[in-house]
Amino acid sequence: AACEKPDVDAAVAAARRAFDSGPWTKMRPNERSRIIWKIGDLILKYTEELAQLESIDNGKPIAVARGADVVLAADIFHYMAGWATKIEGSVLDLSVHYTPGIEYQAFTRKEPIGVVAQIIPWNFPLLMAAWKLAPVLASGCVVVMKLAEETPMSGLFLAQIMQEAGVPDGVVNMLTGFGETCGAPLAAHPNVDKVAFTGSTEVGKLIVKAASNDLKKVTLELGGKSPNIILEDADLDVAIAGAAMGIFFNHGQACCAGSRLFVQEKIFDKVVAGIADIGKKIKLGPGLDPSTEMGPMVSQTQYDRVSGFLTSGREQGATALCGGKPVTGNGYFIEPTVLVNTNDQMKVVQEEIFGPVLTAMPFKNVDEELIRRANDSLYGLAAGIFTTNINKAHKIANRLKAGTVWVNCYNIFDASMPFGGYKQSGWGREMGHEVLKNYLETKSVCVSLGAAI
């Protein structure tokens, strides 16, 4: 269904009723916790159904959907189930006594923000829905979620799972539709208290404008052009495999993909040759084929976008050590690509491609060159460092303008580890205790206790 404004109005009204007078906000935290935990259990129970839906909709290899997307989605619900019973304020000892002899009791409360609008992308449909929904439910909020038009099926199945788990009617409302006719009126809706969006930086800016009329709270998890750094003292077997994982995982359709590779000059040729060798051996194919290692781009639009970047790279002088072109024939396949002879000014280096395309560049020294070049981006979502020198690892990590820094690994996620970006990669954090701040208001209460005893 292509939902439009009347459908958005109906969903928001249902959420408003559920928050203002429904059973969810009146439930004890341990009751909510049990329901949230059950959602995680049911996700694991329906692993095969969810994995197949994810592969059919998105194109990703079913083995990846089964072993990563579904498992991590269940884990975030199990993790957030524990936080439902641990949301607490604090008692304050006031420094100023306005009336001599009068005592005051002051404390803070953490309260759910209300009706939350959430808009998720197509690259990890089930996982992004889980990242958004689990903390909302833990905080006691209600939600209207717009699923990505390319990949709605796992989200709709998740809605059935939540009903089976005992989530009351109106607490979670799923919409399918397009950004302009469904997402825009949802973000601007006057009865929505908060908007949480994951997607491109370009659309994130539109979300901010839509929410600005009534100054809604907004959190954004946006794009990236993440630097991945390999120092000459790195374990090259680990570094080469890690850099390949950083760009080729999920067909490069990941906001935190390590798409800008910086390799110290001495080892540059060996490293890029090793990554290209991995790229040449990746088997492309349909997601449901168990032997497939990389599926197609999600859509014709994305296929054309990545193809356009490959053309731009060639025209500006880049050389492909592997790949470098789209695959003709059935399916939106792009060859795993490693581009060399690139520089920091090229379009393929500066802009987010969202495909299996790595731009590799050498550097001489860390202090005078590397940090400046690594931070030379409007994004600041993630970064990677490969080195056997722990002192260098910490020093470089401290200087990188990125929300997540991986050392001697890449694309490692955990429900306990906050994820989000600096600069134009977004506002706020997903996962961990940090994410609850997105959905809670802080209320200060001051009570006069009368004359001191």
Side-chain angles (χ1 to χ4, degrees):
C3 295
E4 297 186 354
K5 190 177 184 302
D7 306 291
V8 172
D9 290 341
V12 173
R16 188 83 262 168
R17 287 193 300 272
F19 184 76
D20 290 343
S21 56
W24 187 247
T25 50
K26 297 180 177 68
M27 240 181 231
R28 303 311 304 159
N30 62 337
E31 295 176 284
R32 287 204 308 271
S33 177
R34 282 193 289 269
I35 292 173
I36 298 166
W37 186 275
K38 189 174 181 181
I39 295 170
D41 285 348
L42 289 172
I43 288 172
L44 295 177
K45 175 183 174 181
Y46 294 114
T47 291
E48 193 58 29
E49 292 90 336
L50 287 164
Q52 288 190 29
L53 290 174
E54 206 74 333
S55 183
I56 290 167
D57 245 2
N58 174 273
K60 67 178 63 193
I62 190 167
V64 174
R66 192 185 289 130
D69 297 60
V70 175
V71 172
L72 291 173
D75 192 53
I76 190 70
F77 280 101
H78 286 152
Y79 174 83
M80 284 296 162
W83 276 114
T85 57
K86 299 167 186 67
I87 295 171
E88 57 190 24
S90 56
V91 177
L92 310 174
D93 189 6
L94 300 188
S95 296
V96 178
H97 294 279
Y98 292 93
T99 305
I102 300 297
E103 290 189 357
Y104 297 91
Q105 177 71 62
F107 59 93
T108 63
R109 288 173 47 85
K110 296 290 186 180
E111 300 180 351
I113 199 168
V115 175
V116 178
Q118 297 183 325
I119 302 173
I120 63 169
W122 47 256
N123 56 337
F124 295 94
L126 175 66
L127 186 57
M128 293 298 98
W131 278 18
K132 287 283 191 286
L133 289 168
V136 156
L137 296 178
S139 69
C141 290
V142 300
V143 64
V144 180
M145 174 174 281
K146 192 196 90 66
L147 304 169
E149 55 264 34
E150 299 90 347
T151 54
M153 291 197 293
S154 61
L156 294 174
F157 194 90
L158 179 59
Q160 294 179 0
I161 285 174
M162 289 188 288
Q163 284 185 311
E164 184 177 341
V167 175
D169 290 349
V171 173
V172 176
N173 306 271
M174 294 292 199
L175 296 173
T176 55
F178 296 94
E180 297 85 353
T181 50
C182 182
L186 177 59
H189 203 286
N191 286 328
V192 164
D193 301 302
K194 164 67 189 276
V195 182
F197 171 76
T198 296
S200 70
T201 296
E202 178 185 11
V203 176
K205 292 176 181 179
L206 297 176
I207 295 290
V208 171
K209 290 179 182 177
S212 65
N213 255 359
D214 42 17
L215 298 179
K216 291 181 183 66
K217 304 287 195 301
V218 178
T219 51
L220 305 167
E221 199 267 280
L222 306 176
K225 192 70 179 178
S226 300
N228 204 357
I229 298 160
I230 301 179
L231 303 185
E232 62 185 11
D233 60 22
D235 180 327
L236 293 192
D237 290 337
V238 171
I240 289 169
M245 164 64 78
I247 187 60
F248 297 141
F249 175 67
N250 205 53
H251 331 157
Q253 296 175 145
C255 52
C256 58
S259 53
R260 288 188 298 145
L261 183 67
F262 295 94
V263 185
Q264 209 148 15
E265 277 185 342
K266 183 178 177 181
I267 57 171
F268 181 81
D269 290 342
K270 185 174 183 179
V271 167
V272 295
I275 299 170
D277 188 53
I278 292 173
K280 291 172 186 175
K281 294 175 182 176
I282 292 174
K283 182 181 178 183
L284 304 181
L288 290 177
D289 184 338
S291 67
T292 291
E293 296 174 317
M294 182 182 289
M297 299 288 98
V298 73
S299 65
Q300 179 78 56
T301 299
Q302 191 62 16
Y303 174 82
D304 292 342
R305 173 184 170 83
V306 178
S307 299
F309 273 104
L310 293 175
T311 299
S312 170
R314 286 195 303 272
E315 290 175 348
Q316 291 190 313
T319 303
L321 292 185
C322 70
K325 59 184 185 298
V327 178
T328 57
N330 292 330
Y332 305 131
F333 293 97
I334 299 288
E335 294 178 336
T337 298
V338 176
L339 298 179
V340 294
N341 298 325
T342 57
N343 62 65
D344 297 326
Q345 284 70 50
M346 286 183 174
K347 181 178 179 180
V348 289
V349 176
Q350 283 298 316
E351 296 186 22
E352 185 176 35
I353 298 174
F354 227 64
V357 181
L358 180 68
T359 61
M361 296 165 287
F363 71 92
K364 290 183 179 179
N365 60 71
V366 172
D367 291 333
E368 297 177 15
E369 177 189 1
L370 173 66
I371 302 300
R372 172 184 56 79
R373 294 176 65 193
N375 287 333
D376 183 20
S377 172
L378 59 87
Y379 301 108
L381 188 56
I385 306 166
F386 288 87
T387 177
T388 54
N389 187 316
I390 193 65
N391 292 336
K392 289 181 183 178
H394 280 292
K395 289 176 181 177
I396 295 171
N398 290 345
R399 296 177 66 188
L400 293 174
K401 302 299 182 185
T404 297
V405 180
W406 289 292
V407 178
N408 293 327
C409 58
Y410 209 92
N411 282 331
I412 303 300
F413 298 95
D414 189 84
S416 66
M417 192 166 72
F419 181 80
Y422 287 31
K423 297 187 279 188
Q424 292 191 36
S425 286
W427 298 343
R429 293 293 181 268
E430 305 288 343
M431 299 195 295
H433 185 209
E434 287 284 316
V435 71
L436 294 172
K437 296 177 182 178
N438 296 351
Y439 304 112
L440 295 170
E441 292 277 22
T442 300
K443 177 183 287 182
S444 293
V445 180
C446 182
V447 180
S448 172
L449 302 179
I453 294 176

